[in-house]
Structures are given as C-alpha cells and as structure tokens.
Amino acid sequence: MESPFQSITKKKKKSAVRLIEELHPYKTILYLSMMGSGILFFFLVLLYSLFESSSLHSVEAVPKVFVFSTVLLMASGYSVSSILPAYKKEDLKRVKNLLLLTMLGGFAFSLLQFTGWYQLYEAGIFFNGKQGESYLFLISGIHIFHLLGGLFILGYLYRQYRICSADPVKALVVMTNPYERTKLEIAAGFWHFIDVVWVGLFFYFFLTIG
C-alpha cells in the first residue's frame, strides 16, 4: 500500500510531465535554449573567476557606462513585460509602441556596451590580453550576441504588427490568434532571460573588478 507521501510525489511527477507535454514546441525550444545558454555562461564565468584576481586587480572600477546600460536594459525589461497585458486588451497600437520602445532600449544598451569596451581598452584591458581580460570581453560579447537575437525577434513582430495595423481585418485576426500570443510570450521570455543574465553578470563583474 502506497504512503500518502508516495502518492503526492507520483501526482507531482505526472503533473510535471503533463505540463511539459502541453508546452508549445517553440516554448520547449526556448526553454532548452535558455538552459543551454545558462550553462555556457556559468562555465565561462567559472573560467573567468580562475584568472580575474591576478589580471584585473589594477582596474579601479567598472566603467560607469555599464551602469547606465544596465539601467536601460532593466527599463526595457519593464516595457517588454507590459506587452502581453496590452495584447490581452487588444490594444495593437500600444503593443507596437512597447515593442519599439524595447528595441530602442536594446539598441542603446548595445551602443553603451561598445563604449564600455572602449573604456576598458583605454584602461589597459584588452581582448587578446591576459586570460581573465579575454573572458571578460568574451562573456559580454556572447551576451550581446543573444541580445541581437532578441532584437531580431522583436523587430520581426513589430514589422508584422505595423503591417497588420493598416488593415482592420488583419488586426482583428492578429489580436485574437492564440499563436500570436504565444510568439509574444516567447519574445518576452527570451528578453527577460537576457535581462537576468546581464544583471547577474554586471553585479559579479562589479564585485570582482570594482
């Protein structure tokens, strides 16, 4: 006879399996991609940690521009989190504006990152320098690569909704299609992942080289 604990455990396992089975294939790909990227960042940060103490001790502080870029990315995270509520209200104009606002924040973040890299270069930190320095550039560069992927997704959605907004029938179809909501959920989920990764990296870099 099964104990109450075993019965509850089995139910939890069944519900978890059912949840996975009910996931949209695109969401499954998204979660697997985020998991793979998370593992990649983890090992790169681990390698960076092995060398940073001896190679980056001379840096007085994290470039201030990284602080501004982090604030911008967090603000874009707030705007992207407002897209789904606007979609539920069938407010296509607001959805477009929020997509555009998020993209602008992403572009500004990218420009500030390049500025930060230049400031590191001016401080004597080079990509082809010591190993700790190389990993610093590599990690932030891979993050930018992920962000560009997010910008591509947002740009695709913005272009689609901009075209549909000119046709009331197409706009109605877009705002009532469950698949469109899934695409927005995927885009928002990926952008939040980019946000969380960078905030974690920023504070870790701040503690190690600040």
Side-chain angles (χ1 to χ4, degrees):
M1 184 176 178
E2 289 185 349
S3 66
F5 176 76
Q6 290 175 324
S7 178
I8 293 173
T9 303
K10 282 187 177 182
K11 286 181 181 179
K12 287 184 177 180
K13 287 182 179 179
K14 287 181 180 179
S15 61
V17 171
R18 185 177 300 174
L19 181 63
I20 295 174
E21 290 176 345
E22 292 176 353
L23 274 177
H24 192 282
Y26 288 172
K27 285 189 176 181
T28 303
I29 294 173
L30 171 67
Y31 295 144
L32 289 175
S33 299
M34 291 193 300
M35 186 181 299
S37 296
I39 293 173
L40 173 64
F41 279 113
F42 173 78
F43 280 107
L44 286 175
V45 169
L46 187 61
L47 290 171
Y48 162 79
S49 302
L50 297 176
F51 302 103
E52 61 82 20
S53 60
S54 61
S55 62
L56 297 174
H57 62 276
S58 62
V59 180
E60 294 182 358
V62 177
K64 298 297 187 294
V65 71
F66 282 160
V67 177
F68 297 128
S69 66
T70 302
V71 172
L72 265 179
L73 195 61
M74 293 175 68
S76 71
Y78 174 78
S79 64
V80 82
S81 67
S82 303
I83 292 176
L84 281 174
Y87 179 83
K88 291 177 182 179
K89 295 179 180 178
E90 300 184 3
D91 190 347
L92 183 56
K93 182 179 179 181
R94 180 165 172 75
V95 170
K96 289 191 305 175
N97 290 339
L98 288 168
L99 283 170
L100 181 60
L101 185 62
T102 304
M103 286 191 295
L104 290 175
F107 280 121
F109 173 84
S110 301
L111 292 175
L112 290 174
Q113 288 296 99
F114 283 108
T115 304
W117 289 340
Y118 179 75
Q119 290 181 0
L120 286 175
Y121 174 81
E122 289 290 301
I125 305 300
F126 310 103
F127 176 75
N128 59 349
K130 298 178 181 179
Q131 287 179 308
E133 300 172 2
S134 299
Y135 281 117
L136 178 65
F137 282 95
L138 181 62
I139 293 169
S140 56
I142 291 177
H143 179 265
I144 282 289
F145 178 78
H146 282 74
L147 184 134
L148 292 177
L151 285 174
F152 175 81
I153 296 171
L154 294 176
Y156 167 79
L157 292 172
Y158 176 77
R159 180 177 179 275
Q160 176 188 354
Y161 295 153
R162 185 179 178 184
I163 294 173
C164 291
S165 63
D167 187 334
V169 176
K170 288 183 178 180
L172 179 63
V173 171
V174 164
M175 300 306 291
T176 56
N177 187 352
Y179 177 60
E180 295 298 328
R181 176 174 175 173
T182 299
K183 289 195 293 187
L184 288 174
E185 288 174 346
I186 291 172
F190 185 67
W191 197 263
H192 285 311
F193 170 75
I194 294 171
D195 279 356
V196 171
V197 168
W198 175 251
V199 170
L201 291 174
F202 170 77
F203 281 108
Y204 183 77
F205 291 153
F206 182 84
L207 290 174
T208 54
I209 69 176

